[in-house]
Amino acid sequence: MDIKTWTYIIVGISFTIYIVIAIWSKASTTKEFYVAGSSVPPLANGMATAADWMSAASFISMAGLISFMGRDGSVYLMGWTGGYVLLALLLAPYLRKFGKFTVPDFIGDRYYSQTARLVAVVCAIFISFTYVAGQMRGVGIVFSRFLEVEIITGVLIGMTIVFFYAVLGGMKGITYTQVAQYCVLIFAYLVPAIFISFIMTGSVIPQLGFGSDLISEPGVSLLSKLDGLNEALGFTAYTSGNKSTIDLFFITAALMVGTAGLPHVIVRFFTVPRVKDARISAGYALVFIAILYTTAPAIAAFARTNMIQSVSEKPYLEAPGWFKNWETTGLVSFNDKNEDGIIQYVNDADKNELVIDKDIIVLANPEIAKLPNWVIGLVAAGGLAAALSTAAGLLLVISTSIAHDLFKKILKPNISDKGELRAARIAAGFAVVVAGYFGINPPGFVAQVVAFAFGLAAASFFPAIIMGIFSKRMNKQGAISGMLVGLIFTAGYIIYFKFVNPDANLPEHWILGISPEGIGTMGMLLNFAVSLIVSRFSPAPPQLVVEMVDSIRIPKD
């Protein structure tokens, strides 16, 4: 069977499973809609958390970034993995002890202020929409290539599926759907990696193949070969880096603390029965995440090696099938500048004739390596599972922030449980539509957009949550001021360099050489500084709040 048929079969089966699970686990109360009734077993929550966290950026785009950036791409591996450890150790058990539905719920009660709650709602919605744009972009890419439809059509199909199980099942439906999605995405990620590792190095373990010698060239390691290929084309060696040390540090830190401040990840720890279960599920999730993250560098190296060898200096009329397939999507393009019919792929803007979207590397990897068609269809299903699982979690955060934190807590406190559930579903539907728009008109490639979301989370939520748990002196004035300063500074910096004046997006124009992807760390430091200063010159929090902090900091079962 051809690729399209295999894709329809595998994607169709996986989508059917997701819909059946959503119908089976339909939420009937607000607690089930918001936190799955706090009844999810640790193992299932660990798998759901891994699927929620390993978005399209992890599945589709991260290996692509590493493939093109080489060693510099390690910031994404270190930042996202380290951030999860930070979340599991410093936040998860304490927020579970608090026992509410959302991060704005914690901010509002801890800082005894509806204004603080409102600022947190704005932050949650802003961060979530930024993040979800990357997921819907990933959905569109997968559909446009493998089902041969327009990216817009692909996004609309993805919106429909997410709308069905997010609006119907809420967190309960999303959780058990994400368990299935994790199984699909990890299987889809590992199968081609194992195939290619064995073909190229003789090792069935991709992590070992990454550091092994090539079968085709005994005595030559994969990385040495890749260094040579890169340098021959005018690029820096794959194992060397271009970014400054300070920018690497700030990007890694922004991704780490941004992970710990992402509302759709934090809310997963409200879904387990006990504080102990929150710790256990965090451990399970880290194991499940590590399986993919330790495989990504190998996939990046395999894909770049095969890609360069298959197209560079080759006649365009003899280009391989994968090149022609992806060219029809517009994500690969060839411009014969010297009109010799030969594909010139070099690190020179005036001479380079090949443009490859970073987001296609993982999806095109099986085709480049000439793997069986069923493997290619499986990867398409995995990419959709990764994008849809995170999109669903983000959309639930948005709907919960609107229905519970804004509507129930601020605008209409006397609303019934049934009315609140209806409002949450309406908000989820609205969020799906907006997310679809951003998927059709994304502000960047997938991992880049997601990196911005992490920076915004680092600059706004993380300091407020950490100080809310570990500082009894932190008050509402300090927290509100810090969140606003961090969010406005970081968003302003990103918007200026990415949208207002992209021509100035160069190291010489950045503050201290820090890129927009890393500026969230500086926003976080400003947040901490402003919060601490303002809190010292304003009234201390009430005794009731001090007692609540003492209670949270002893996360007993």
Side-chain angles (χ1 to χ4, degrees):
M1 288 188 288
D2 61 15
I3 294 172
K4 187 176 181 180
T5 303
W6 271 115
T7 303
Y8 270 112
I9 291 172
I10 297 174
V11 170
I13 291 172
S14 63
F15 276 17
T16 301
I17 292 171
Y18 305 155
I19 291 171
V20 169
I21 291 173
I23 295 172
W24 166 75
S25 56
K26 179 181 178 182
S28 57
T29 66
T30 52
K31 189 172 184 180
E32 287 185 345
F33 191 89
Y34 294 144
V35 291
S38 295
S39 61
V40 180
L43 179 61
N45 195 55
M47 296 180 76
T49 303
D52 205 357
W53 190 64
M54 290 191 298
S55 61
S58 294
F59 188 99
I60 295 175
S61 199
M62 184 174 64
L65 278 175
I66 299 171
S67 185
F68 281 84
M69 295 172 66
R71 193 184 72 182
D72 287 342
S74 63
V75 297
Y76 291 91
L77 287 171
M78 294 186 296
W80 283 335
T81 309
Y84 186 80
V85 175
L86 191 66
L87 171 64
L89 293 177
L90 290 183
L91 300 182
Y94 302 104
L95 291 175
R96 178 62 189 85
K97 177 68 183 296
F98 182 66
K100 293 299 180 71
F101 292 154
T102 66
V103 174
D105 228 3
F106 170 78
I107 297 292
D109 286 2
R110 165 59 183 86
Y111 295 112
Y112 51 99
S113 167
Q114 294 292 60
T115 303
R117 187 188 304 275
L118 184 60
V119 171
V121 168
V122 172
C123 290
I125 293 173
F126 190 42
I127 292 165
S128 298
F129 272 130
T130 304
Y131 202 156
V132 82
Q135 312 315 309
M136 300 313 293
R137 157 80 170 171
V139 171
I141 289 172
V142 175
F143 273 112
S144 67
R145 163 62 191 95
F146 296 107
L147 299 183
E148 299 176 13
V149 299
E150 294 292 328
I151 286 182
I152 294 175
T153 305
V155 170
L156 292 174
I157 295 171
M159 286 169 56
T160 303
I161 298 296
V162 172
F163 178 84
F164 185 83
Y165 68 77
V167 173
L168 181 66
M171 179 59 81
K172 186 178 179 183
I174 286 171
T175 296
Y176 292 104
T177 303
Q178 285 173 336
V179 171
Q181 286 168 332
Y182 175 79
C183 296
V184 172
L185 75 87
I186 203 64
F187 188 65
Y189 205 77
L190 291 178
V191 167
I194 292 169
F195 263 105
I196 298 170
S197 180
F198 182 72
I199 292 169
M200 293 181 71
T201 69
S203 173
V204 295
I205 302 175
Q207 292 85 343
L208 298 180
F210 181 54
S212 300
D213 292 346
L214 295 167
I215 292 176
S216 60
E217 298 183 46
V220 178
S221 71
L222 170 66
L223 291 177
S224 296
K225 176 69 175 180
L226 192 47
D227 278 345
L229 290 171
N230 266 17
E231 290 172 333
L233 298 174
F235 297 95
T236 56
Y238 189 78
T239 54
S240 66
N242 294 315
K243 285 186 173 292
S244 66
T245 301
I246 188 171
D247 197 28
L248 283 172
F249 175 81
F250 269 70
I251 293 174
T252 303
L255 294 172
M256 284 184 65
V257 296
T259 298
L262 285 175
H264 76 289
V265 178
I266 291 173
V267 74
R268 288 243 53 94
F269 297 102
F270 294 132
T271 64
V272 291
R274 301 171 299 170
V275 175
K276 178 181 178 181
D277 295 329
R279 298 193 196 99
I280 295 171
S281 64
Y284 279 132
L286 189 58
V287 172
F288 294 137
I289 290 166
I291 296 172
L292 186 146
Y293 269 57
T294 56
T295 308
I299 288 180
F302 297 150
R304 185 160 181 83
T305 302
N306 286 333
M307 182 198 75
I308 292 174
Q309 292 180 321
S310 68
V311 297
S312 182
E313 297 296 328
K314 298 292 193 303
Y316 174 70
L317 295 177
E318 299 176 15
W322 74 265
F323 186 93
K324 298 292 186 180
N325 290 337
W326 281 98
E327 193 176 25
T328 59
T329 68
L331 299 173
V332 171
S333 61
F334 168 63
N335 179 16
D336 193 4
K337 294 179 180 179
N338 59 9
E339 299 182 351
D340 65 352
I342 305 297
I343 299 173
Q344 301 292 331
Y345 178 52
V346 294
N347 187 27
D348 185 327
D350 295 326
K351 297 179 180 179
N352 182 55
E353 300 175 339
L354 180 63
V355 177
I356 298 178
D357 192 298
K358 297 178 180 68
D359 288 337
I360 76 165
I361 289 299
V362 170
L363 299 174
N365 190 31
E367 290 180 271
I368 296 172
K370 300 179 181 178
L371 296 186
N373 288 343
W374 69 266
V375 177
I376 299 169
L378 178 63
V379 170
L384 289 171
L388 295 176
S389 62
T390 302
L394 290 163
L395 292 170
L396 187 67
V397 166
I398 295 168
S399 69
T400 304
S401 295
I402 293 173
H404 181 72
D405 297 305
L406 182 61
F407 207 62
K408 168 76 172 177
K409 294 289 185 174
I410 298 176
L411 299 178
K412 196 173 181 182
N414 296 324
I415 189 172
S416 67
D417 188 77
K418 186 176 180 180
E420 186 182 349
L421 184 59
R422 186 186 307 112
R425 287 186 165 131
I426 293 172
F430 167 77
V432 169
V433 173
V434 177
Y437 171 81
F438 284 122
I440 295 168
N441 302 283
F445 59 87
V446 174
Q448 183 186 49
V449 172
V450 170
F452 295 153
F454 278 73
L456 294 170
S460 57
F461 274 140
F462 182 75
I465 296 171
I466 284 292
M467 290 186 291
I469 293 170
F470 296 103
S471 172
K472 289 186 281 188
R473 182 63 180 80
M474 183 53 56
N475 60 15
K476 63 180 180 181
Q477 292 88 346
I480 294 170
S481 302
M483 282 193 292
L484 288 175
V485 168
L487 183 66
I488 292 170
F489 169 79
T490 304
Y493 193 89
I494 292 171
I495 291 169
Y496 176 76
F497 283 114
K498 289 298 179 179
F499 307 108
V500 177
N501 192 8
D503 293 336
N505 190 25
L506 299 168
E508 57 265 30
H509 297 138
W510 299 337
I511 297 175
L512 300 177
I514 302 168
S515 64
E517 288 82 2
I519 200 62
T521 300
M522 184 171 286
M524 175 196 69
L525 296 174
L526 285 173
N527 187 333
F528 272 119
V530 169
S531 297
L532 291 170
I533 292 171
V534 171
S535 67
R536 290 300 179 269
F537 292 94
S538 51
Q543 183 60 32
L544 186 65
V545 171
V546 174
E547 293 172 358
M548 180 177 69
V549 174
D550 279 331
S551 173
I552 292 172
R553 283 163 58 177
I554 306 174
K556 295 180 180 179
D557 292 338

